[in-house]
Amino acid sequence: MIMSLKEMLSDDFSEEFLLCGNSACSGCASELALRWALKALGSKTVVVAPASCTNVYIGLWPGAAPTVPFINMAFAAGASAASGIVAGYEALGKTDINVMTWAGDGGTVDIGIQALSGAIERGTNFIYACYDNEIYANTGTQRSGSTPFGAITTTTPYGKPIHKKNISQIIAAHDIPYVGTVNGADPRDVFAIFKKIKDITGPRFVHLLSPCPPGWRFDSSLIAEIGRLAVDCGIWILWEQENGEFHLRGKSRRLLDKSNRKPVDEYIKKQGRFRKMTQEGINKIQQWVDGNWLAIEKTVKGQC
Amino acid sequence: MTDEKQETLIITGNEASAWGARRSKAHVVTAFPITPQTTVMETISEFVDSGKMQCNFVKVESEHSVMAGMVGASMTGARCFTATSGQGLLYMAEMVHWVSGSRLPVVTTIASRGIAPPWNIWVDYSDILSMRDSGWIIQFASTHQEIFDSILMSYKLAEDPRVMLPVFIAYGGFSQSHTSKPVVIPSQKAVDDYLPPVPDDGWPHLVLNPEKPIVHGNLLMPQQEYMEFRYKMHETIHGAKPIIKEVIADFHEKFGRNYHGLIESYRCDDAKYILVTVGALGEQVKDAVDTLRSEGKKVGSIKIRYFRPFPKEDLVEILGSKNLEGIVVVDRSIAYGSPTGGHISSEFSNILSELPSSLTYLPAVWGLGGRDVTVGDQESVFNDLINLHEENEIKETSNSYINGTLWVNLKVR
Amino acid sequence: MNKSKKQDLKKEDLPSFEDYRDLPHIPVSIGVKGSMGNTGEWRTFRPVINLSACNKCGFCYIYCPEGTIKFDKETGPMVDYIYCKGCGVCARECPKDAITMRRETEQVCENDEDD
């Protein structure tokens, strides 16, 4: 991590590929993550962005924030359009360009999952990054398959009655060279992982937690803090699976022991989206988190 | 079969389509199985896996991804080909617009079939005509040879910098896709001489090149030029008419086969009655014309080859003849709730306004979902038109004349 | 186009279209600063950096979602107020509490006093 900090401040990575003055909300964690993902990948990168906040926050024609080739894409077509780009480059003998799909959670776990699953099954040489703000934020915060239990959205005005879909494990069940979760509000984590996966061949899936101030109802200055709390409470587990090998990463490595995890209400009480949550609901989330960790424990021990 | 010399092969319409992709040297093919298109992708699979065709064939998991893959691949500057049918075309509809809206020169063949429910897999152009306003050039191929030749011509057209629009080539499911006919396959060199390779640095308006980064598809506000960009597409499709004729003339010169233009007319010069239709029946109806001519009836036929751009001027030129007394326009597709029930016959109102009002106009629908249309049926349509013109009513017919439209062999009395 | 030039393009530098015939086939955009205008106008609070308390760790530059903080190892960070949206993440993440978020109106008053 110290190494990555030095690199991040070095001249090699000073160029911005997502320029300022765009239309992202103030304190957008997706913008922060994309900024560092692009720095890590460098100028020879092509981005496919299926319908999501990113389509809007890159700004208005004839200007735009990205300085790398960047195409807006239909909602369900993030992975399939990228497959086409990869196929085109391969056919034309251009092999030194990174192709990345940058999709929201709706475009990944819901409408885009078929194309995503297909692209991974075919071994497409691309990166699929899902920034998970746990709602359809671009259309005004409706519930998605990735919205957590209890969260208020415009289509779950009293809180969502079921837990979120575990997309990373669904992806891990594919034969994929790399799948990992990242705290999207921690640029050092984002930068380190994108630098690491840049040179892996084949499909790579990165799942980034992307705290959303207007959607989650917290002050815009708190994105990094909310991201840290999600990790510390064990709600967002940092792990990666490389060629079938599962590892916990970063702070999550010491959270297998429940006593090291903060209680989930520290995370929940900081966000207006959980304001209708009862103590019973909080307990339910705590049980869900603990259950997730039991599953992780089995995976980790099973491999020992 | 080698690539070095021209040969005549007895192949199906779908195989002719696959040969078109092979001779055009498509860099990328994406496809998903659907009856009756499937043997196109099976044939291409055989070409590619046996090393006879250098192509990146991506077997994707749905038609939506088929056309999304075409968008991505074409944006790299690659030549792209796919094929589909019926439900598959409907499923990819969103991406069909993405291709044209991005002005990408993708060529796609459609083995047309009826739309479900209920399931139907036989010839019916309701699938392709549901894409009539998608910004694609839409062509019908009426023979196996025309399927193959049209693919070569379509790349020439689509990749013309003045056009830069995708092309659909539609033909009948099973009636053409699965029947075998002789098809002349020119040598690879002859095709290469006709169809130049794609530009090295991508399409002039859009290419994904990190050396020249661009952002495509971001938001335009209502007062910005969204409307002008839409108008430009409309203008370009209409502007493609002379370019289509150039391409056809050039092809004629190089390969000796003449596809005439946006329409092809048959014995129309002195005709009093003309039948207008699309596809293979537009070819077969020539037999009915000959039979009726031998009976002394002055009839002729027009085969519409290009539905988009709509060949209004060419139609008016022929239909404006002083001799003409009646026109029947027959669709093999259904346009629910439209003025006539058929796609093409509904569009004819725009042409009729430029023709003498004394003309009898009869819209008709035949052969939906693969129902047989025999030469006898074709003759009956001419006779019904003559009847209507002369007697002002249609008598003694096996067809149903309902609210001004003739439904051929419809079991409604 | 060289590196620095690409990053310095502004919306005003882009071509404008007098006639639809001058439009390209499709709308494509070029990367510019201020694609949504001078987004500094969105701010309610402005980050003010106390350079004497700054340890030049670069966190403010790293955590700025918008990339509006320039960082120099010698002289430290500098905010581009034309585009800074005032989210406050830099102030929150500064380990030395060297950044304070000041209400824009307050800043104006101070300036008045300075004059």
Side-chain angles (χ1 to χ4, degrees), chain B residues 18-86:
Chain B
W19 270 102
R22 174 169 161 183
R23 279 289 181 263
S24 303
K25 290 187 171 171
H27 296 105
V28 178
V29 174
T30 58
F32 185 79
I34 184 166
T35 307
Q37 168 276 131
T38 309
T39 54
V40 178
M41 73 178 286
E42 287 176 345
T43 307
I44 294 177
S45 299
E46 176 61 32
F47 287 162
V48 173
D49 288 6
S50 64
K52 289 172 188 147
M53 180 176 173
Q54 301 304 313
C55 159
N56 202 342
F57 187 1
V58 191
K59 289 128 195 170
V60 294
E61 79 302 321
S62 76
E63 283 92 353
H64 196 278
S65 293
V66 164
M67 207 41 96
M70 291 283 96
V71 171
S74 185
M75 281 182 177
T76 67
R79 185 172 284 160
C80 294
F81 178 85
T82 187
T84 191
S85 297

Side-chain angles (χ1 to χ4, degrees), chain B residues 142-190:
Chain B
S142 54
T143 68
H144 287 41
Q145 186 71 53
E146 191 176 356
I147 294 169
F148 173 83
D149 291 344
S150 295
I151 294 169
L152 313 188
M153 283 185 273
S154 293
Y155 279 115
K156 191 107 168 176
L157 175 64
E159 292 169 4
D160 188 309
R162 297 167 291 175
V163 180
M164 292 309 294
L165 281 171
V167 182
F168 278 129
I169 301 158
Y171 54 88
F174 287 102
S175 65
Q176 287 173 275
S177 66
H178 285 63
T179 53
S180 292
K181 295 266 178 70
V183 177
V184 178
I185 306 290
S187 70
Q188 187 62 58
K189 183 169 183 313

Side-chain angles (χ1 to χ4, degrees), chain A residues 43-44 58-61 63-64 67-74 77 80-81 84-85 87-92 114-115 118 122, chain B residues 27 56 58-62 65 68-69 72-73 75-76 91 94-95 98 208-210 213-220 224-225:
Chain A
S43 64
K44 285 207 156 188
I58 57 165
L60 284 180
W61 177 80
T67 62
V68 292
F70 185 108
I71 59 167
N72 291 271
M73 190 37 61
S80 44
I85 293 172
Y89 281 147
E90 282 173 3
L92 298 172
Q114 173 181 304
R122 295 189 298 272
Chain B
H27 296 105
N56 202 342
V58 191
K59 289 128 195 170
V60 294
E61 79 302 321
S62 76
S65 293
M75 281 182 177
T76 67
Y91 191 40
E94 181 188 27
M95 303 319 296
W98 217 278
L208 297 178
N209 177 359
I214 49 102
V215 175
H216 173 246
N218 51 330
L219 193 68
L220 263 74
Q224 288 186 290
E225 282 76 4

